[in-house]
Amino acid sequence: DFDRAKAGKSLDEWAMAHAGIHVRHRVRPGEGTSDMGARAARRAVENSGLQLSDIGLIVVSTFTSDYRAPNTGGLIQAELGMTCKVFQVDSACSGFIDATLMAASLMDYMSVKYALVISSDAVSQYNIPTDFRQQTLFADGSGAVVLKNEPDSPYGLKAFHAVGDGKNRLEGVAMGGKVPITEENLRAGKQYIHWRPREVYPFATEKMA
C-alpha cells in the first residue's frame, strides 16, 4: 500500500524520516523467538566474562512465544543447557523492563548473584501484510543482559512508571483464549496485530522514553 510517488521517497527513506529506522530484521524460515533469545543470551554471558553455569536465574519476556506450550523460557533454557530457575513474562512493548524488574526483585529473594534477562520477539509474522507502517515498525529481534546483585553499587534500577489508562492502542486478539483461532477469525485477519498508528507513535515516543 506504500505509494512511492505520493510519498516522494522510497519506503526505506520514509522509515528513516518518520522513525529513524535504518534496518528491519526478520527471522529465518523455521526459526523463532527462542532461537533469537538463545543467541542473545550466549552473547550477553560471553560479554560479561562469566560462564553459563554462573547464572542463577533466567527471566524471559515475549509476547510471540514459539508455542503456547512449552513456553519460550523453557526452550531457551534447554538450548543453553542450563538448569537454573526460569520465569517467563508475557509482555509486549514493556517486556524488557518488566523482565528486568522481576529479575532484580527475585535476585535478593532467591539469593542469586547473577541473573540473565532476555527479551525476544518475532513480530513480523503478526504484521498485517498490506500495512507498510507495521512492516516498517514491527520486526524481529532479541536482546539480553546479565544482572549482578551488588547492593553497594551506585548503579541499578532507580524507578519505573506505568500508564494504565485502559486504551488498547495495539491488539492481537486471536493470540489468546478469548478469540479462538477459527477459520472465520483467520479470514477476518484477527491473527494479525491491529493498532491505532496515530496514537501508538506519540504514546511510544512521549511515555516510553
Side-chain angles (χ1 to χ4, degrees):
D1 287 352
F2 184 74
D3 190 334
R4 287 171 172 77
K6 184 177 179 180
K9 59 189 69 176
S10 70
L11 180 55
D12 283 340
E13 291 170 337
W14 182 90
M16 178 59 195
H18 282 73
I21 295 173
H22 293 266
V23 178
R24 294 169 297 284
H25 295 280
R26 301 285 187 269
V27 290
R28 298 186 183 96
E31 289 190 334
T33 298
S34 67
D35 302 286
M36 293 188 296
R39 284 197 293 270
R42 284 196 178 94
R43 291 175 184 172
V45 174
E46 181 180 344
N47 290 340
S48 73
L50 301 173
Q51 302 296 319
L52 290 172
S53 58
D54 295 320
I55 305 298
L57 170 69
I58 304 171
V59 182
V60 176
S61 77
T62 185
F63 81 108
T64 61
S65 284
D66 293 354
Y67 317 105
R68 292 309 304 166
N71 69 28
T72 295
L75 294 174
I76 293 175
Q77 180 194 41
E79 174 65 24
L80 297 175
M82 300 173 70
T83 58
C84 63
K85 180 61 180 174
V86 58
F87 292 91
Q88 179 165 320
V89 178
D90 186 8
S91 190
C93 297
S94 62
F96 184 79
I97 295 172
D98 295 342
T100 302
L101 288 168
M102 184 176 184
S105 300
L106 287 171
M107 288 173 79
D108 281 333
Y109 179 77
M110 298 175 61
S111 298
V112 167
K113 186 169 185 179
Y114 297 107
L116 179 61
V117 175
I118 306 162
S119 189
S120 186
D121 276 300
V123 187
S124 60
Q125 60 187 318
Y126 296 111
N127 286 336
I128 298 173
T130 55
D131 189 334
F132 73 87
R133 292 167 298 184
Q134 278 192 9
Q135 299 290 341
T136 297
L137 291 173
F138 305 139
D140 308 330
S142 183
V145 66
V146 175
L147 301 183
K148 182 181 181 182
N149 192 350
E150 195 171 23
D152 296 330
S153 172
Y155 303 102
L157 298 174
K158 302 301 183 183
F160 67 93
H161 176 66
V163 178
D165 60 13
K167 294 181 180 179
N168 296 331
R169 297 174 179 85
L170 188 151
E171 297 177 321
V173 295
M175 299 176 192
K178 226 173 186 182
V179 181
I181 299 177
T182 62
E183 290 186 14
E184 180 181 359
N185 285 333
L186 290 176
R187 285 195 296 270
K190 293 185 178 179
Q191 72 273 31
Y192 298 122
I193 291 172
H194 293 268
W195 65 323
R196 300 184 179 96
R198 293 186 182 276
E199 295 182 30
V200 168
Y201 187 78
F203 180 82
T205 54
E206 293 171 12
K207 301 295 185 182
M208 297 176 66

